[in-house]
Amino acid sequence: MRPATGEPSRLPYFNPGYWTLSMRSLTLIVARIAIGCLTIFPIIVHADEIVIRHAQGETRVADNPKTVATLAIASLDTLAVIGVDVAGVPRVHFPQYLAKFDDAHYRKMGSLFEPDYEAFNALAPDLIIVGGRSACKFTELSKLAPTIDLSPDMKRRVESAIANAENLGRLFHKEFEVTERVRKLRQS
């Protein structure tokens, strides 16, 4: 039976004041939801950074870094294939398929064995990539900019090369390009 007009309902959720929230209560609810979301999705807190696992640990790197220097030829090859431009490269004799990196447009960052620290300071890269012969310079270079060591695991060469490529794909938003290359590699 419905109450007569003007009489309050016996069921609280039919009363107009039942659903009214104070501003304080609403703020607390929104804050609890936000904290819950940050607990469940911590990547939102640092959406502009990504953690890369590599041969010498983990490094926090700016998502999709703009200025990249590498002393690792294998990483340079991967970056070139997936369409990521680099600013700094080692001073080496490049194979024909990487000959474009001989151009003066690419700053020379030293040899595979000895980085040119002044060149790194002048370039101020967002990311430095070492690997193989240059891996021993990781500690010194990581003082200049976020540095990752993409040296291959010699016991699992193919798997580690794929993992390194996938890391680069994730970092530079080129997952599709990496996935396609890995698919072609596995088919060969």
Side-chain angles (χ1 to χ4, degrees):
M1 191 161 115
R2 298 186 75 179
T5 311
E7 290 181 35
S9 169
R10 283 177 265 162
L11 298 172
Y13 46 84
F14 284 126
N15 289 328
Y18 182 80
W19 293 106
T20 307
L21 292 174
S22 70
M23 191 56 141
R24 184 175 187 277
S25 297
L26 185 60
T27 303
L28 286 173
I29 290 170
V30 170
R32 286 181 180 160
I33 290 171
I35 289 169
C37 286
L38 292 177
T39 303
I40 296 169
F41 306 109
I43 194 75
I44 294 172
V45 176
H46 299 289
D48 58 340
E49 290 185 335
I50 187 168
V51 175
I52 298 292
R53 283 196 169 137
H54 55 85
Q56 296 198 42
E58 292 182 349
T59 301
R60 239 182 230 290
V61 179
D63 188 36
N64 200 8
K66 302 300 176 221
T67 308
V68 179
T70 182
L71 292 177
I73 301 298
S75 296
L76 179 62
D77 184 14
T78 301
L79 292 169
V81 165
I82 64 174
V84 175
D85 199 21
V86 297
V89 297
R91 185 180 318 278
V92 296
H93 177 71
F94 290 105
Q96 186 60 38
Y97 65 94
L98 295 175
K100 76 175 192 174
F101 295 106
D102 277 327
D103 190 274
H105 168 75
Y106 300 98
R107 177 173 263 154
K108 303 308 178 258
M109 308 306 291
S111 73
L112 296 175
F113 301 100
E114 190 57 44
D116 181 344
Y117 294 103
E118 290 178 13
F120 278 99
N121 280 323
L123 183 62
D126 299 318
L127 173 65
I128 300 171
I129 302 171
V130 297
R133 294 178 178 127
S134 60
C136 61
K137 301 300 181 179
F138 173 83
T139 304
E140 293 86 5
L141 289 169
S142 64
K143 294 174 186 173
L144 304 176
T147 304
I148 57 176
D149 177 1
L150 297 184
S151 296
D153 178 347
M154 295 310 208
K155 294 178 183 170
R156 307 174 18 227
R157 287 183 193 200
V158 173
E159 294 85 4
S160 71
I162 290 171
N164 288 342
E166 289 171 342
N167 266 336
L168 292 172
R170 188 168 51 102
L171 182 60
F172 292 100
H173 303 270
K174 300 284 188 172
E175 293 95 335
F176 176 77
E177 290 85 343
V178 170
T179 301
E180 284 300 303
R181 292 294 178 155
V182 169
R183 184 182 58 75
K184 288 178 182 176
L185 173 69
R186 291 181 197 262
Q187 287 176 348
S188 62

